[in-house]
Amino acid sequence: NFLITAGPTHEAIDPVRFIGNLSSGKMGIALALEAAKQGAIVKLVLGPTYLDCNHSNISVYRVESANEMYNKVNTLFTNSDISIFAAAVADYTPENVAENKIKKSDNNISISLVKTTDILAEMGARKEDHQLVVGFAVETENELRNAKEKLEKKHLDMIVLNSLNNKGAGFEYNTNKITIIDKQNNILNFNLKDKSEVAKDIIAKIIELR
């Protein structure tokens, strides 16, 4: 049983605006499809994206906000054997959401933000011995050091590092260039590949760890 998160979250400012990011969900969807093709039962928690994910072994749960993603993951995590957190979840959300569209008036406006629940950290702390938890780290500087710190701090079994300094890697691309680090500090570097091929590399490493 796989639990996979994918895509961005949208944190509402008012009925027509939100805070978001550039994640497309392509990497997480590729992981869900690869796991399903290998016979896994997959629960895919998918943030707002135009993409679909269709396979008889995959159940898709669409969410919008970080809080909605947390609530859905919270209900599915206990029954998962392997959880891959590939979603780009907002770290902050507006403290108050305007009931009506904010009109253009003053030259400046301020929006107070509050932290969202750290889904990856909470699930990493809760995992049982039979569960394996994989995180993603998207970095722009001190990439390897930051990824290793995240691996340890959030009690992960493995982390997949994306550097936005690598051409063709990261958000919106059909390709990705990753580094995998496991909790034994084994480091695997991969060449730039189509995300479907990257998914095969990640799933293969997970099977090895299992």
Side-chain angles (χ1 to χ4, degrees):
N1 290 308
F2 272 70
L3 168 62
I4 298 175
T5 68
T9 66
H10 288 175
E11 309 304 314
I13 296 171
D14 64 16
V16 299
R17 301 179 180 93
F18 61 85
I19 297 171
N21 58 63
L22 296 174
S23 175
S24 64
K26 290 177 181 178
M27 190 68 253
I29 288 172
L31 285 163
L33 288 169
E34 181 58 31
K37 287 174 185 176
Q38 295 199 33
I41 303 301
V42 180
K43 310 293 187 186
L44 175 63
V45 182
L46 186 59
T49 176
Y50 65 92
L51 299 173
D52 291 318
C53 185
N54 299 309
H55 191 285
S56 59
N57 282 12
I58 301 175
S59 298
V60 179
Y61 304 86
R62 289 191 176 267
V63 298
E64 289 284 329
S65 68
N67 188 56
E68 288 178 4
M69 183 168 284
Y70 168 75
N71 288 335
K72 181 53 66 175
V73 167
N74 197 38
T75 64
L76 298 173
F77 181 73
T78 301
N79 293 322
S80 71
D81 301 306
I82 297 165
S83 296
I84 307 175
F85 294 93
V89 184
D91 294 322
Y92 293 89
T93 191
E95 185 173 19
N96 298 298
V97 179
E99 185 176 346
N100 297 305
K101 179 184 175 183
I102 299 170
K103 296 295 185 181
K104 188 191 297 183
S105 55
D106 298 331
N107 288 332
N108 298 291
I109 64 169
S110 297
I111 300 172
S112 179
L113 302 176
V114 294
K115 276 188 176 182
T116 59
T117 302
D118 191 327
I119 299 172
L120 181 58
E122 186 165 320
M123 300 308 139
R126 279 175 45 187
K127 72 183 177 75
E128 305 281 347
D129 289 343
H130 71 280
Q131 292 180 300
L132 189 144
V133 174
V134 178
F136 271 66
V138 177
E139 303 291 345
T140 59
E141 60 179 353
N142 301 317
E143 293 97 332
L144 199 58
R145 185 184 73 191
N146 289 339
K148 287 181 177 181
E149 287 178 357
K150 187 173 183 179
L151 174 75
E152 183 176 350
K153 182 179 179 181
K154 301 193 178 186
H155 305 99
L156 309 180
D157 298 287
M158 179 178 121
I159 195 161
V160 180
L161 168 62
N162 296 137
S163 171
L164 295 188
N165 293 315
N166 291 324
K167 188 177 180 180
F171 296 144
E172 297 186 317
Y173 291 103
N174 292 322
T175 54
N176 208 356
K177 186 176 188 297
I178 65 165
T179 297
I180 293 177
I181 310 161
D182 65 26
K183 63 182 179 181
Q184 282 76 41
N185 201 36
N186 296 309
I187 300 173
L188 294 174
N189 294 300
F190 295 86
N191 295 324
L192 186 72
K193 299 180 182 182
D194 187 88
K195 284 182 175 176
S196 61
E197 295 300 313
V198 174
K200 292 178 182 178
D201 292 332
I202 294 170
I203 297 297
K205 180 60 179 178
I206 289 171
I207 291 170
E208 180 186 318
L209 292 178
R210 289 286 290 179

